[in-house]
Amino acid sequence: MFSHFKFIPFLQAILISSSLSQILCFNFRYPSFTSADANDFIRLNSSVINNVVQVSPVSRHSSGRILYKQPLKLWDKLKGTKSSFITTFVLNIRPLSTPGAEGLAFVLTDSAALPTNSGGPWLGIVNVSTININHIAAVEFDTRKSDSMDVDDNHVGVDVKNIYSIDQEPLASHGVNLSSGEDITARIQYDARSDDLLVYVKLTRLSEHDLGDPVIISHLDLSKNLPQDVFIGFSSSTGEYAQVNTVKSWDFISFETQIKGSANLLWLWILIPTVAVILVGGVGFLLYLRRKSRSKRNNDDEMDIEKEIQRSSSAPQKFRLKELKAATGNFNVNNKLGSGGFGTVYKGILRKQEVAVKRILKNTRHGKQDFIAEVTTISNLHHKNLVKLFGWCYESNELLLVYEFLPNGSLDRYIFRNQIRTDTDTTLDWETRHNIICGVAKALDYLHNGCEKRVIHRDVKASNIMLDSEFNARLGDFGLARTVQFKDKTLFNQGDCWNAGLYGSGKFPYRKPGHQNEQNEYNISIVEWVWEHHRTERITDVVDDRLNHDFDEDQARCTVMLGLGCCHPNPYERPSMRSALQVLTGEVCAPDVPTEKPAFMWPAMAPSLIGEDINNSITGGQLTTTTELSGR
Ligand SMILES: *[C@@H]1O[C@H](CO)[C@@H](O)[C@H](O)[C@H]1NC(C)=O
Ligand SMILES: *[C@@H]1O[C@H](CO)[C@@H](O)[C@H](O)[C@H]1NC(C)=O
């Protein structure tokens, strides 16, 4: 599972654009830890055993730390820069008794030394006499309620120079039991401009496509609490009871952000992960600069957002908040059409026309970036399979988008059973479904090849596919979309393949609804599930049984095979969206897909690039497979 998902942050991180630049500081990636990798780390009571890092000894009353040898430049006073970073890791905690103890933490620290007596509740972070003295920040995964300050014995927390968390969140309601011995994927994302620290936690076996919403959004200026150079790594401890605290894989990417000299309102992130050096050149990220004065922030933001939106060639209309409040009955719950991700959508009547108004969740930095991306991206796009944006509004800290209203709602309502909103019993027939798939493919082909700038949607899923009165697909929600300009023309196709596979057809609605007993199986991976049907030559069995076998068998086979082709673990093997469209229209045959799902390879390579390095990659793939099996 991990094998799929780990592609995503990487690509999310690199698929972006504009005109200025931000530099990648350093990044590294350990899909597992070999004994040779052990030399990359400062190990303090920790070890690399059986391809995993055992952060502290299993025995009682111990603590340990493992730190990457090269320190991270967290900020640079002279250059006026700060570093943003994204780190993703898989941790596995196995108590050897009930209850267990104590937990594990991701740390940024000035000191490579392990404080003595930092076992027990201290998690190897500080000891009783170094509280507020050691310069250390941590995200703790705490498996024991050590004192009244801990919410429970299964929580994640953000700690600064202390083990009392400035923010903490119990994990039970997020479906995670840290002590269960299951693999858990965590991501920590720090934006140096907004000082937002986001923590994501999800069971690894359920994290194939995404890590969901952050469990903690903490506001923390790391540069105020930590020195310019910090070590990054993990610490953990045991107390009265023995426990195995391990980290199985670890990715880290950081970028330098100019903070001083606010002449430029726009910042661009060009990331060049070492792996991407082989594959792709640079790309960028559009973000906003955080203004210094808090009181002026809203006004400045309003102006910034307006300026940014006006820049785009066909700026959409700006609406007044008053007008949108009136249109939606002051955002009356009865007008609610749906909610998710970063906002709620309301139905409204605006200037005698039915509209859908998306109200973006307040106070998330992410929300504003999404907002600008969405307005500027979509307003330059015109295609019959894209949702139309009428306008926008940003007032009193409210971010709102106004779209055309689509009477038939989103596709997820029709294809997944056990929906919360079962306001429809309509079963879409095969022809309609095929037409929807074609519509989405046309929209994506337009985004990838047909418009001025290449646009990567990055969030194609059933809930973002709206249906008009004739059930034609309209792709919406461009909150995560980014435009991309590859300098090197030869790289165009590769980018296209990635997009088609990962964000496009990879998530097409082939999910077989119903089938309770199979639910868990394909929660783990719909791709594996469909591939298994392909292997056993029962591929059309994956078609929704509500169609009662009333569908064009050849067309269905062809479509599902195409879907598998678009999920090929090696992105270079995936068809471009252009060829996907040709398959759907029957112009060319579906791609040949191996009956056994190929092993995941990292780094992904174009067939011509596969050379001597392949041994390492294949080892990586097999290890991943092992992890998958044990994860079930
Ligand atoms: C805390 O750690 C420091 C540094 O290792 C050490 O000098 C000090 O004695 C420790 N304090 C206690 C109470 O163990
Ligand atoms: C978490 O998992 C452990 C180990 O399987 C178990 O003892 C404990 O009861 C679980 N906690 C919850 C809240 O399910």
Side-chain angles (χ1 to χ4, degrees):
M1 295 319 100
F2 180 64
S3 61
H4 291 284
F5 112 84
K6 63 192 166 192
F7 241 103
I8 294 179
F10 168 67
L11 283 177
Q12 276 183 345
I14 67 166
L15 296 175
I16 332 284
S17 91
S18 206
S19 54
L20 304 172
S21 75
Q22 172 166 323
I23 306 304
L24 184 80
C25 289
F26 77 79
N27 69 103
F28 52 79
R29 181 165 194 289
Y30 294 95
S32 67
F33 298 88
T34 64
S35 45
D37 293 337
N39 298 325
D40 299 349
F41 300 96
I42 301 164
R43 282 163 285 139
L44 306 154
N45 275 353
S46 69
S47 47
V48 173
I49 308 170
N50 300 330
N51 297 317
V52 305
V53 166
Q54 192 174 294
V55 184
S56 58
V58 173
S59 56
R60 299 162 61 218
H61 300 296
S62 58
S63 64
R65 268 190 196 177
I66 183 158
L67 303 168
Y68 193 64
K69 265 188 186 161
Q70 184 190 345
L72 166 71
K73 179 68 81 186
L74 192 61
W75 52 286
D76 190 323
K77 200 172 174 195
L78 279 178
K79 282 161 72 187
T81 55
K82 278 165 73 172
S83 290
S84 298
F85 61 82
I86 302 174
T87 183
T88 310
F89 48 90
V90 169
L91 57 96
N92 185 296
I93 297 177
R94 197 159 42 85
L96 297 184
S97 61
T98 313
E102 292 276 339
L104 182 149
F106 171 77
V107 296
L108 300 113
T109 172
D110 64 336
S111 159
L114 180 71
T116 46
N117 297 318
S118 59
W122 303 102
L123 298 176
I125 298 174
V126 287
N127 69 19
V128 71
S129 52
T130 63
I131 293 174
N132 293 331
I133 293 172
N134 277 0
H135 294 278
I136 185 163
V139 174
E140 59 166 49
F141 298 83
D142 199 333
T143 55
R144 187 165 168 79
K145 183 171 163 56
S146 328
D147 52 59
S148 57
M149 307 290 274
D150 278 350
V151 272
D152 64 5
D153 59 358
N154 180 38
H155 67 268
V156 58
V158 177
D159 303 349
V160 182
K161 299 182 184 175
N162 203 327
I163 51 159
Y164 298 143
S165 305
I166 58 169
D167 284 301
Q168 52 181 324
E169 173 71 14
L171 287 173
S173 60
H174 298 278
V176 171
N177 176 357
L178 289 174
S179 309
S180 63
E182 279 202 84
D183 284 358
I184 291 160
T185 300
R187 178 177 307 152
I188 300 162
Q189 200 169 315
Y190 177 66
D191 183 342
R193 260 170 301 242
S194 61
D195 294 324
D196 285 333
L197 186 120
L198 274 54
V199 184
Y200 298 81
V201 186
K202 199 164 175 181
L203 284 179
T204 303
R205 64 182 167 83
L206 301 182
S207 68
E208 178 182 359
H209 288 309
D210 66 79
L211 286 168
D213 294 332
V215 296
I216 288 186
I217 301 180
S218 198
H219 193 76
L220 172 66
D221 185 350
L222 289 177
S223 71
K224 293 246 156 60
N225 295 286
L226 295 172
Q228 300 192 41
D229 295 295
V230 290
F231 292 102
I232 48 176
F234 301 91
S235 72
S236 76
S237 67
T238 57
E240 291 301 311
Y241 306 95
Q243 176 161 300
V244 188
N245 295 312
T246 55
V247 175
K248 292 187 157 183
S249 68
W250 185 21
D251 293 6
F252 189 93
I253 312 179
S254 77
F255 334 95
E256 215 171 65
T257 309
Q258 193 74 33
I259 291 297
K260 278 188 179 167
S262 51
N264 296 312
L265 293 176
L266 273 175
W267 300 92
L268 169 80
W269 299 19
I270 292 183
L271 323 167
I272 315 160
T274 45
V275 279
V277 172
I278 312 167
L279 307 171
V280 187
V283 198
F285 216 120
L286 186 75
L287 278 177
Y288 255 73
L289 175 68
R290 177 173 177 252
R291 283 307 184 107
K292 279 174 193 146
S293 151
R294 282 228 148 245
S295 59
K296 280 181 67 192
R297 184 167 163 170
N298 276 352
N299 282 342
D300 284 351
D301 265 4
E302 271 175 42
M303 279 167 57
D304 290 353
I305 287 182
E306 179 147 15
K307 251 189 227 165
E308 180 52 32
I309 289 170
Q310 300 304 350
R311 257 170 199 256
S312 73
S313 53
S314 53
Q317 193 171 359
K318 185 182 171 186
F319 292 104
R320 302 306 310 243
L321 181 58
K322 229 168 42 186
E323 209 175 350
L324 298 185
K325 274 190 175 164
T328 56
N330 204 8
F331 305 113
N332 193 309
V333 283
N334 296 329
N335 291 329
K336 195 168 141 180
L337 292 172
S339 62
F342 283 85
T344 309
V345 184
Y346 298 87
K347 188 180 172 180
I349 308 280
L350 186 65
R351 302 175 189 176
K352 296 188 184 149
Q353 194 174 8
E354 283 183 317
V355 293
V357 179
K358 179 164 150 191
R359 187 187 199 188
I360 293 167
L361 222 65
K362 275 184 223 173
N363 299 330
T364 54
R365 194 72 193 170
H366 192 164
K368 278 179 200 148
Q369 288 157 18
D370 280 1
F371 182 80
I372 294 166
E374 180 142 18
V375 177
T376 54
T377 309
I378 200 174
S379 60
N380 286 310
L381 303 173
H382 307 281
H383 189 273
K384 66 176 170 37
N385 294 111
L386 295 180
V387 173
K388 280 194 192 61
L389 178 74
F390 290 149
W392 62 284
C393 167
Y394 181 52
E395 257 178 67
S396 315
N397 216 16
E398 287 270 10
L399 293 167
L400 298 147
L401 292 164
V402 183
Y403 297 98
E404 67 177 317
F405 173 74
L406 293 163
N408 281 322
S410 54
L411 179 62
D412 56 333
R413 282 164 52 186
Y414 300 88
I415 57 171
F416 301 137
R417 277 182 206 169
N418 312 317
Q419 274 295 117
I420 309 154
R421 289 163 54 91
T422 48
D423 49 351
T424 170
D425 289 331
T426 319
T427 296
L428 302 177
D429 62 20
W430 170 254
E431 216 185 317
T432 310
R433 290 176 195 229
H434 191 258
N435 182 46
I436 291 169
I437 294 167
C438 289
V440 177
K442 281 178 193 158
L444 288 173
D445 178 48
Y446 168 75
L447 296 178
H448 295 173
N449 305 304
C451 47
E452 207 181 314
K453 278 185 193 162
R454 176 168 299 221
V455 174
I456 315 295
H457 185 281
R458 308 197 308 161
D459 199 18
V460 178
K461 57 185 180 194
S463 58
N464 288 341
I465 296 166
M466 310 302 292
L467 300 171
D468 70 12
S469 55
E470 276 147 13
F471 287 94
N472 292 307
R474 301 285 198 93
L475 183 58
D477 204 333
F478 281 69
L480 292 174
R482 298 287 186 268
T483 49
V484 184
Q485 292 156 317
F486 289 106
K487 283 210 184 91
D488 184 347
K489 203 145 196 332
T490 59
L491 295 169
F492 270 41
N493 291 336
Q494 297 165 11
D496 202 28
C497 293
W498 284 4
N499 313 333
L502 206 62
Y503 300 109
S505 329
K507 291 185 186 175
F508 265 179
Y510 299 128
R511 179 168 164 173
K512 191 172 188 178
H515 279 241
Q516 301 315 328
N517 49 352
E518 283 179 295
Q519 184 93 27
N520 283 335
E521 230 178 286
Y522 67 67
N523 256 344
I524 294 171
S525 168
I526 171 129
V527 179
E528 306 280 343
W529 183 75
V530 177
W531 221 298
E532 181 58 24
H533 281 77
H534 171 42
R535 196 178 65 79
T536 53
E537 293 177 3
R538 296 175 296 131
I539 190 88
T540 50
D541 286 5
V542 304
V543 175
D544 192 348
D545 56 9
R546 284 176 294 181
L547 295 179
N548 293 323
H549 300 282
D550 182 11
F551 58 88
D552 179 337
E553 191 139 332
D554 287 340
Q555 199 178 41
R557 178 177 296 111
C558 194
T559 311
V560 182
M561 292 297 281
L562 173 65
L564 280 185
C566 290
C567 296
H568 197 290
N570 181 352
Y572 286 92
E573 300 283 337
R574 299 174 192 156
S576 68
M577 199 40 78
R578 182 61 44 96
S579 2
L581 199 53
Q582 286 171 334
V583 174
L584 290 171
T585 53
E587 282 169 60
V588 298
C589 302
D592 253 345
V593 179
T595 49
E596 293 289 343
K597 185 174 169 221
F600 176 76
M601 281 206 321
W602 186 270
M605 284 182 213
S608 62
L609 289 175
I610 296 179
E612 285 168 10
D613 271 356
I614 195 161
N615 284 339
N616 289 338
S617 307
I618 286 177
T619 315
Q622 285 168 345
L623 285 168
T624 312
T625 313
T626 317
T627 316
E628 272 172 29
L629 291 175
S630 57
R632 283 191 190 181

